[in-house]
């Protein structure tokens, strides 16, 4: 099949016209497929009208009220589920084509021949089918799908998972089939829905993100004020304002922070475990006393001694449990004392880190504080020290280059060799007495009301989000309507969407009620 040429016309509606570069003969049209397309309303297919003049054929597709997929991908953003849904629509159309005696190779599966109804995220795709007899010389369907997936990826906000890799790998496989790829997309859609709810599930157990214990405090370092730094504006690096956890020592600080972080948990279980140990110890001692003194030597005297010791041990255990008596040694049951010692140890290690680690000055220059200024012994009764002014040696500046269009004497410089034409737009809004001049730079220049998609924002009622596009080249310009709802007028006529129209200096076009006039100047562009 020869190279295709696409055009757009308005004739009671909007139509996309497809023909071959060197012409399409009527013998190349499949009459069976043409009759099927004209007699059956096939879902997700653009309505086809084959027109023949002197055995030369042109195929017309009605696209009224629809937008080109390539423009939608530039204007809207979608997620992974929406991407899978759009691809599933394409594969469903390809898989159902055999029911209507259509060939999968005859679909135009590129973003410039696929059209969207409504929004991209929840819209319906419509495809163009070419009813010709032979399309075997075209690219394989798998390569077309790879190109389509790659193009649609540019509109995805966040690419998650390995679904895209699976699709591209499957399209590159020799055993590629539309039916199997459709099943793969269905699995990806089903797996994507519970993935969000099960993102915190590991080995069948839900992970609950625990808040930080109340005993953990993230402190910021504030450099001490030095009297010698008065009047000196020193901006330390941005990392100094970060939390202490950014500068942990590899061994000591990790252990210390772990102990401090576990304080909140230990406080909850400390009272219970302490009570259990005290009760068990007291009962064990009382049992030994009764066993040795009374049961082995029963008598009234031994009974009185056992009762007295039992009462004494109970009082002693109660004092320890209430925290009024501490056991000497390395183990201390007072929670407050334990926390204070841990916090004191943490402060000492933090001071050690600030003293030794945070240095960004020259290695040969000794510094004792974080401001980079040698410490000065502060004397409350000494007069203030006035530092001598620093004499700065002026650095010679390069000569100023005159970039104006005229020289210093007012004469026009000879720049004919570097002179390039520059374009601009004169905009005149409704009810305005004075227009606005808009400079144009080479490349694409889009006019619309969406600040995220256009180069010039026009908030006039009736202007679409991305209404029209100007293509500025070296010495010519062109105008293209981007499928706007109210259209664009050039020379008083509504132009067909997605078709480039040559725009000459002095030509005017209208968007809503605003008039834009192209201007050209031969002055050099700076």
């Amino acid at each position: 099949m020869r190279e295709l040429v696409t055009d757009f016309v308005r004739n009671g509606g909007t139509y996309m016209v497809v023909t071959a570069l060197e012409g399409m003969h009527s013998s190349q049209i499949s009459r069976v497929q043409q009759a099927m397309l004209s007699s059956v309303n096939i879902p997700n297919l653009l309505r086809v009208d084959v027109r023949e003049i002197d055995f030369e054929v042109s195929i017309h597709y009605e696209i009224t009220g629809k937008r080109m997929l390539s423009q939608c991908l530039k204007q809207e953003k979608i997620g992974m589920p929406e991407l899978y849904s759009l691809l599933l629509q394409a594969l469903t159309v390809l898989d159902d084509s055999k029911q209507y005696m259509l060939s999968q190779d005859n679909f135009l599966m590129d973003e410039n021949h696929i059209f969207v109804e409504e929004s991209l995220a929840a819209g319906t795709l419509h495809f163009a089918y070419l009813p010709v007899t032979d399309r075997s010389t075209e690219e394989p369907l798998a390569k077309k799908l790879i190109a389509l997936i790659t193009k649609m990826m540019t509109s995805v906000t966040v690419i998650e998972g390995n679904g895209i890799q699976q699709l591209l790998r499957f399209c590159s496989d020799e055993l590629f089939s539309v039916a199997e790829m459709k099943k793969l997309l269905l699995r990806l859609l089903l797996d994507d829905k519970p993935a969000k709810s099960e993102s915190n599930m590991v080995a069948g157990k839900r992970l609950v993100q625990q808040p930080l214990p109340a005993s953990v405090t993230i402190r910021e370092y504030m450099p001490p004020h030095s009297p010698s730094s008065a009047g000196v504006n020193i901006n330390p690096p941005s990392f100094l304002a970060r939390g202490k956890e950014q500068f942990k020592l590899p061994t000591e600080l990790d252990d210390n922070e772990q102990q401090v972080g576990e304080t909140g948990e230990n406080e909850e279980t400390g009272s219970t475990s302490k009570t259990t140990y005290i009760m068990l110890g007291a009962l064990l001692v009382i049992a030994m006393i009764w066993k040795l003194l009374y049961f082995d030597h029963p008598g009234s005297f031994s009974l009185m001694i056992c009762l007295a010791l039992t009462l004494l041990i109970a009082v002693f255990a109660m004092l320890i449990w209430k925290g009024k008596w501490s056991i000497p040694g390395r183990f201390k049951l007072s929670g407050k004392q334990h926390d204070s010692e841990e916090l004191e140890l943490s402060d000492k290690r933090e001071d050690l880190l600030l003293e030794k680690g945070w240095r960004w000055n020259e290695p040969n220059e000794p510094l004792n504080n974080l401001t980079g200024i040698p410490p000065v012994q502060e004397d409350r009764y000494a007069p203030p020290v006035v530092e001598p002014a620093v004499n700065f040696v002026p650095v010679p500046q390069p000569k100023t280059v005159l970039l104006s269009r005229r020289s210093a004497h007012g004469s026009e410089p000879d720049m004919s060799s570097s002179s390039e034409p520059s374009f601009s737009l004169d905009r005149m809004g409704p009810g305005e007495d004075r227009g606005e001049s808009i400079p144009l730079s080479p490349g694409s220049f889009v006019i619309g009301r969406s600040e995220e998609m256009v180069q010039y924002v026009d908030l006039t009622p009736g202007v679409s989000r991305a209404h029209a596009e100007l293509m500025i080249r070296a010495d010519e310009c062109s105008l293209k309507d981007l499928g706007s709802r109210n259209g664009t007028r050039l020379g008083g006529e509504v132009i067909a969407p997605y078709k480039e129209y040559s725009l000459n200096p002095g030509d005017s076009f209208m968007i809503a009620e605003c008039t834009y006039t192209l201007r050209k100047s031969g002055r050099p562009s700076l």
Side-chain angles (χ1 to χ4, degrees), residues 146-216:
I146 291 177
L148 180 62
I149 294 173
T150 305
K151 186 66 178 180
M152 296 178 68
M153 285 172 53
T154 59
S155 183
V156 178
T157 53
V158 178
I159 298 180
E160 301 175 344
N162 60 346
I164 298 296
Q165 290 84 344
Q166 294 184 35
L167 293 174
L168 296 178
R169 191 183 307 114
F170 187 82
C171 291
S172 303
D173 198 337
E174 297 180 354
L175 302 178
F176 166 80
S177 66
V178 174
E180 294 298 327
M181 187 173 179
K182 182 180 176 181
K183 295 179 182 178
L184 175 60
L185 272 173
L186 289 173
R187 289 197 300 268
L188 291 176
L189 275 173
L190 293 177
D191 293 341
D192 186 74
K193 292 181 180 179
K196 295 181 179 180
S197 61
E198 296 181 359
S199 58
N200 294 327
M201 296 287 291
V202 176
K205 297 182 180 179
R206 183 175 299 275
L207 297 180
V208 180
Q209 185 176 3
Q210 299 290 344
L212 290 176
S215 59
V216 177

Side-chain angles (χ1 to χ4, degrees), residues 42-45 86-107 109 127 129 141 145 170 176-186:
I42 303 177
N44 297 88
L45 256 66
L86 294 175
L87 292 176
L88 185 60
Q89 291 187 41
L91 292 175
T92 302
V93 172
L94 292 173
D95 192 29
D96 295 343
S97 62
K98 54 187 176 182
Q99 301 178 8
Y100 304 96
M101 295 181 291
L102 303 180
S103 175
Q104 297 178 353
D105 296 330
N106 288 20
F107 284 90
M109 300 299 296
F127 301 87
Y129 184 85
L141 178 61
L145 291 176
F170 187 82
F176 166 80
S177 66
V178 174
E180 294 298 327
M181 187 173 179
K182 182 180 176 181
K183 295 179 182 178
L184 175 60
L185 272 173
L186 289 173

